[in-house]
């Protein structure tokens, strides 16, 4: 039976490239995103043209029961899920506390923290029954420190990180590998960074950064590491790692303010 | 005008003792708890008998608008709030993921993370207008690491800690002092630790620990440090500190497992 | 008998103000610095004029046996030491790896890490015999993260922080309180910050910062917290806390680099 | 020209397996250890029989100039070093402060911290001239927290971690990849864990753990991740990751002490 990799948040950045990477290695890639059926169809077609198999699924991860139904459907129609990549963020740009509606703050939590718990609660018992599995969670610097303007995002990501640790402590001994992957610099992904910065600023960044300099994170390179982590021997599992472009400053560094 | 210290979560443990400490120094202590009007009345009476002033307020912090209304009421009826002590936890004991209903997980977030944001969003603009203020947040080890069985609590506390950092980054320069106080061992508080452990086990712990040995945290001692932190000179503010009984192992230590 | 507070690194900044604070509360302040007998004499005189008692001791902390002899002498001549404040840093300014001689790197370790171990090894057995004591260690942001140009300083401070944790784990249950105090922004101290920046730049900083704005850390304010921490009830000890001016950015924060 | 991977600390555990892994992929493996010329010769022979190339070098890393001479010799005789794996630890077992001679504490620093600085100071300018390189540092839990009995080891490893961060901040933009790899559980390595535990206890652990259960870290599995990290695309470099056997408790977790 084909192994299945479920990618929640399969856009043009990390999610899509991780899906392609797993598909290239023989996995069926189950791709989910909230909207853009055409985008999904294109990605499925691209994977199939490269000799892989994939399926596309529209999913609004914050809807009650939606994640749970998706997992039921895939398990029934395609087969058992071996690896889940949770790749939805909760970044809303820099917003002061006054400028962050309660509904927005709550939505950040629903996307950033709660949905991860729901995936685990639904899927881990199945994985445990089958002897194991893996959950790779894309994370952000806001999981490590809360900056000004990031109250919603930082609360969601901080909660996610501690949740992942608790999941790891409970489920690693049951052979379910949880990895919390800290993406610490800008990723070449038009539908997230592009939106955040605006088209013009994003293109300028791409131009300035990409002149042979690898200063913007390539999602295909990130995907190589996701694949490696998901296939570590279980005597040597990684729970957490950071990743950034070689020219970027790590989140813990900044110039001495003298 | 009398300074006001609002204590959200004023039971027999940290909250109550912090309230008494601030009242002893001349603050009006506005005490909030979810239930037990008698308990509130007794605490108010105790403070008044000691020469202080206090008021009791029933508050369900997770109800929509309840925190906001409480703050409006106190500001209108008693006066401007100078210091808030957020002392509600979200500990539900050790619960496996399977045994944690979604509603429970959500409630943990509403108590542990969201309510802190709501306090800040409501009160900080008033404090800013008046030139400053302070928010002291009682926190728990689960803000630092997620143990097995603590997925709900750890997610709530991890979110809270990152939120506090974001609040600090935005509001410290506006003269609002935020402190995240990590209570890292058991507190002598019948209505939280007592409930968690059961009466018999709690009494045994008290007995075993308390024989002149100070091995269980005294909330009055904790309150001394809360008061000190709230009154640090603003050129030397503390954002985070840990506290534990001298005989207790810090959360980051445990015996080498060889 | 008078309690004794030994301050290793008693210059015009934190060390000197901590000494005065403890002396004001009845401690004999034993002041140590590497050079400047006149400075020592003046500080002793200042404390005595304020009604306190103090003694001055020249000490090169990196000399073999010097710390050990100093402790022997004070214990023999003045009395048992109750509190030690270790206030020597190892900052040498920003230096590239190429520009950091091996001897300099080693000296950083001798001042920053090794001397703390020597103090503990010499004094803790005496404190243990007498039933307890306290060690307060001034620390720096480099204990938490290593910046470019800080390889010597960060190695020394990172080693110091882990050492303090190990000391705390071994000696807190023996009633010796160890506190690691992270000073995270510039302190108004002419003989350290002043030297680092040069007189002109330091004065400009003072001028720019000090116009009623409390933007540079006042060592007397820091000293208040040192005194508080050293006198916490042992059921509620703090091991680590950070301190910074309210307008300063915490080490973990910096502007989102987009 | 053949790429060269220099392994400092190439025993029967992580170091030896990393060397073999790199050799299998076409690197010349330059193996260093303090003693046991026969062991070195055997490892070289094993690599050569598998079709690779290797050389053996006796090195006492704490001797003045020894590391520097080794690098000079290899660069002159074999060729430019592309990757260094620093795999020397400083674990001396659990030792109270009283039972840790100053010479032992200093030796821990010389092995654990100083030698890493010396490697960087000697080799990084050459790597920089040639356009890049990599330094992988094996680290231990003591880099993250100091346990009782670990004052020497924790000071050495804490210093090492901060040093690695400072090296990364200075040299990553110069295309030198530094990775700090936290090995958080016991490794199947007779000459380190075996010595630490004693032969009998080590065999018992092996027996108990190894019954098909992968509960002791396999150094060959660790080596796979070292190789992956050393070859990440530079737009997506990892600085730090943890590794442990799936059944082992992460350093930040331990049972709730109620």
């Amino acid at each position: 039976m084909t192994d299945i990799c479920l990618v929640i948040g399969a856009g043009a950045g990390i999610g899509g490239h991780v899906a392609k990477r797993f598909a290239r290695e023989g996995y069926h890639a189950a791709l989910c995103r909230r909207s853009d059926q055409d985008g999904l169809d294109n990605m499925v077609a691209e994977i199939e043209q490269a000799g892989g198999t994939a399926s596309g699924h529209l999913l609004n991860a914050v809807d009650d029961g939606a994640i749970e139904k998706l997992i039921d459907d895939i398990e029934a129609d395609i087969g058992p899920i071996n690896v889940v990549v949770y790749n939805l963020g909760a970044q809303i740009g820099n917003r002061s506390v006054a400028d962050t509606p309660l509904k927005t703050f709550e939505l950040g939590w629903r996307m950033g923290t709660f949905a991860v718990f729901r995936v685990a609660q639904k899927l881990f018992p199945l994985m445990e029954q089958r002897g194991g599995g893996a959950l790779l969670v894309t994370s952000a610097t806001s999981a490590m420190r809360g900056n000004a303007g990031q109250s919603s995002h930082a609360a969601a990501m901080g909660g996610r990180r501690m949740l992942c640790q608790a999941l790891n402590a409970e489920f690693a001994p049951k052979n379910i590998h949880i990895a919390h992957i800290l993406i610490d610099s800008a990723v070449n992904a038009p539908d997230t960074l592009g939106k955040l910065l605006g088209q013009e600023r994003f293109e300028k960044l791409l131009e300035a950064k990409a002149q042979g300099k690898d200063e913007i994170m390539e999602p295909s390179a990130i995907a190589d590491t996701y694949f490696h982590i998901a296939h570590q021997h279980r005597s040597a599992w990684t729970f957490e790692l950071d990743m950034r472009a070689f020219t970027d400053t790590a989140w813990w560094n900044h110039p001495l303010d003298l």
Side-chain angles (χ1 to χ4, degrees), chain A residues 55-73:
Chain A
S55 53
H57 311 263
L58 290 178
L59 168 76
N60 189 345
V62 301
D63 283 351
D64 281 354
I67 284 177
E68 293 79 359
K69 184 176 182 313
L70 171 86
I71 291 173
D72 277 336
D73 289 351

Side-chain angles (χ1 to χ4, degrees), chain A residues 168-188:
Chain A
N168 176 61
E170 183 173 346
F171 291 98
K174 297 173 175 178
N175 211 30
I176 299 175
H177 184 181
I178 290 118
H180 182 259
I181 305 175
L182 196 70
I183 303 298
D184 190 32
S185 61
V187 179
N188 189 351

Side-chain angles (χ1 to χ4, degrees), chain A residues 18 36 55 88 104 119 122 141 152 168 177 202 219 222 240 256:
Chain A
V18 169
D36 188 6
S55 53
L88 294 174
T104 302
V119 167
K122 177 71 191 177
T141 315
S152 165
N168 176 61
H177 184 181
F202 179 58
I222 296 172
E240 190 164 78
L256 201 56

